């Protein structure tokens, strides 16, 4: 009887396969519904790494130091929790060829962080890497790996497949919420997809607007992924999708800078890079997160009368070229300097700031 009670209690502790804040779960606490035999070997390891106990490699120690130095205010995650994330991030970075090609600064800014808005910090990285590894091949490019994750993540965690369901923010926000409900709206699915991409060493970020500049209003979040020397956007909804094409492209060009109708990516881990604030309107009062404004780039992708394919090409050139092509915008200081990794992302010389 005691044994049966122990087994039942153990099964009830971790249902979703994702640990709560400050806790690093091991192999024994992963949900069997989310496990596939021998998946870990595809990522270059056979079992989860222990979160506790001493230091690791020099790269792991550097990643831990970065997380400690940049951890957002209010995040009370333990050092052991940070080390668990750092260790898994370094394992993926060293195991996947495309991940190893990502410059250190890009890795630190857009792979290593484990939260985006105000969702719970969770130990999601091992579970994601383990379940998504079968979608990947060692000879893939960064774009091919990103495409494989984007297309396969919705069915990679068993049945039922994860689907889109509107008006679920903030009830379904963290990865464990999506695992439990098997659905999410744009914010929850954007976080889910970005976390999945980061678990495979792919630089990714959540982008969105608090309110569309149109009569019916509405908000939206989506995903950008770094490959081919530029950021490329995609909608997080399950189903067929093409890079730099989405239903919101037309309405995005109507966005207005410096406020509720702007387009931003939150950078609470890198507040010194911020040139704006992202209004998190699902909290009362509205939470203002440090952000990089991307409104001009999305506006510029539609300022010519060129066919849609050429407009997408304009966006695909990268932020600096897009802004250079936008009338009335001058390029100022670098926003992200990435030596040896293509162009510098540049910030537009904007006349006003978010108040």
């Amino acid at each position: 009887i005691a044994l049966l009670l122990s087994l039942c209690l153990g099964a009830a502790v971790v249902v979703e396969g994702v640990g709560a804040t400050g806790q690093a779960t091991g192999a024994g606490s992963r949900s069997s519904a989310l496990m596939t035999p021998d998946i870990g070997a595809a990522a270059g390891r056979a079992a989860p790494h222990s979160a506790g106990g001493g230091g690791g490699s020099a790269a792991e120690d550097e990643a831990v130091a970065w997380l400690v130095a940049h951890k957002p205010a209010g995040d009370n995650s333990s050092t052991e929790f940070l080390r668990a994330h750092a260790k898994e991030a370094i394992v993926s970075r060293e195991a996947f060829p495309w991940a190893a090609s990502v410059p250190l600064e890009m890795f630190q800014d857009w792979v290593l962080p484990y939260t985006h808005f105000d969702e719970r910090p969770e130990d999601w990285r091992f579970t994601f890497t383990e379940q998504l590894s079968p979608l990947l091949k060692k000879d893939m490019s960064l774009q091919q790996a990103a495409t494989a994750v984007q297309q396969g993540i919705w069915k990679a965690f068993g049945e039922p497949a994860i689907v889109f369901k509107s008006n679920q923010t903030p009830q379904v926000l963290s990865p464990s919420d999506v695992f439990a409900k098997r659905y999410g709206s744009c914010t929850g699915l954007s976080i889910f997809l970005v976390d999945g991409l980061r678990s495979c060493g792919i630089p990714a970020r959540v982008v969105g607007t608090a309110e569309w500049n149109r009569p019916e209003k509405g908000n939206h979040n989506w995903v950008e992924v770094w490959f081919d020397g530029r950021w490329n956007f995609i909608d997080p909804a399950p189903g067929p999708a093409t890079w730099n094409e989405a239903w919101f492209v037309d309405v995005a060009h109507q966005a207005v800078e410096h406020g509720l109708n702007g387009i931003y990516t939150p950078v609470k881990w890198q507040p010194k890079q911020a040139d704006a604030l992202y209004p998190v309107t699902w909290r009362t009062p509205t939470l203002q997160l440090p952000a990089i404004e991307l409104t001009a780039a999305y506006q510029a992708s539609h300022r010519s009368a060129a066919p849609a394919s050429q407009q997408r090409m304009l966006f695909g050139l990268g932020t600096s070229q897009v802004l250079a092509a936008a009338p009335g915008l001058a390029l100022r200081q670098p926003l992200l300097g990435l030596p040896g990794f293509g162009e510098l992302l540049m910030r537009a010389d904007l006349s006003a700031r978010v108040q």
Side-chain angles (χ1 to χ4, degrees):
I1 293 175
L3 177 59
L4 288 174
L5 286 173
S6 175
L7 290 172
C8 291
L9 289 172
V13 171
V14 178
V15 178
E16 318 309 338
V18 179
T21 302
Q23 299 173 344
T25 56
S29 59
R30 303 293 176 183
S31 169
S32 60
L34 302 180
M35 296 292 285
T36 300
D38 299 323
I39 287 180
R45 68 280 177 92
H49 294 279
S50 170
S57 66
E60 180 187 322
D61 290 343
E62 184 179 10
V64 173
W66 190 94
L67 289 173
V68 170
H70 293 81
K71 187 170 65 170
D75 184 338
N76 298 318
S77 300
S78 66
T79 302
E80 290 76 16
F81 178 85
L82 300 183
R83 182 166 291 279
H85 263 287
K87 185 173 291 189
E88 294 299 331
I90 293 300
V91 168
S92 293
R93 180 167 170 79
E94 294 176 348
F96 297 122
W98 58 81
S101 70
V102 174
L104 179 61
E105 184 177 359
M106 177 67 69
F107 166 78
Q108 291 172 334
D109 286 346
W110 306 112
V111 176
L112 194 52
Y114 50 81
T115 56
H116 311 273
F117 294 104
D118 62 340
E119 73 273 22
R120 294 184 305 275
E122 295 179 335
D123 178 26
W124 46 261
R125 205 175 294 263
F126 175 82
T127 299
F128 273 86
T129 309
E130 186 181 45
Q131 297 300 104
L132 297 176
S133 293
L135 304 174
L136 306 171
K137 298 179 180 179
K138 293 285 187 177
D139 60 351
M140 283 181 167
S141 66
L142 200 56
Q143 179 179 355
Q144 289 171 330
T147 300
V149 171
Q150 184 277 325
Q151 292 179 352
I153 192 172
W154 316 111
K155 296 182 178 179
F157 297 91
E159 296 295 336
I162 294 165
V163 297
F164 174 82
K165 185 176 181 180
S166 62
N167 299 319
Q168 297 303 308
T169 304
Q171 295 87 350
V172 180
L173 202 59
S174 299
S176 64
D177 299 331
V178 176
F179 282 136
K181 300 294 186 180
R182 313 305 292 184
Y183 58 72
S185 51
C186 61
T187 305
L189 294 189
S190 291
I191 291 171
F192 190 79
L193 177 54
V194 169
D195 287 350
L197 291 160
R198 290 184 178 184
S199 76
C200 298
I202 301 167
R205 63 191 188 185
V206 180
V207 175
T209 182
E211 184 177 278
W212 290 120
N213 180 29
R214 61 181 183 181
E216 58 268 39
K217 306 298 183 182
N219 68 333
H220 193 50
N221 283 298
W222 59 93
V223 173
E224 286 188 352
V225 178
W226 182 271
F227 58 79
D228 291 344
R230 60 186 180 264
W231 287 105
N232 302 269
F233 68 84
I234 202 159
D235 201 49
T242 301
W243 295 105
N244 301 320
E245 294 183 24
W247 66 266
F248 57 81
V249 170
D250 289 334
V251 68
H253 90 279
Q254 302 176 39
V256 181
E257 297 167 338
H258 318 316
L260 202 61
N261 303 132
I263 295 174
Y264 310 96
T265 185
V267 286
K268 67 176 188 175
W269 289 84
Q270 318 96 326
K272 292 183 179 179
Q273 296 181 13
D275 61 359
L277 294 172
Y278 190 116
V280 178
T281 55
W282 58 80
R283 301 301 182 193
T284 304
T286 297
L287 178 65
Q288 302 284 352
L289 291 181
I292 296 172
E293 178 139 28
L294 302 174
T295 307
Y298 282 88
Q299 290 172 334
S301 66
H302 287 265
R303 288 190 177 179
S304 83
S309 61
Q310 294 183 26
Q311 293 174 4
R312 290 191 296 273
M313 185 181 299
L314 175 63
F315 187 91
L317 286 172
T319 304
S320 61
Q321 284 92 335
V322 167
L323 294 179
L329 289 177
L331 297 181
R332 196 166 59 184
Q333 69 265 31
L335 182 59
L336 286 175
L338 306 173
F341 197 69
E343 65 193 344
L344 295 177
L345 295 183
M346 307 297 285
R347 181 183 299 141
D349 188 9
L350 304 173
S351 58
R353 304 279 291 181
V354 172
Q355 301 301 314

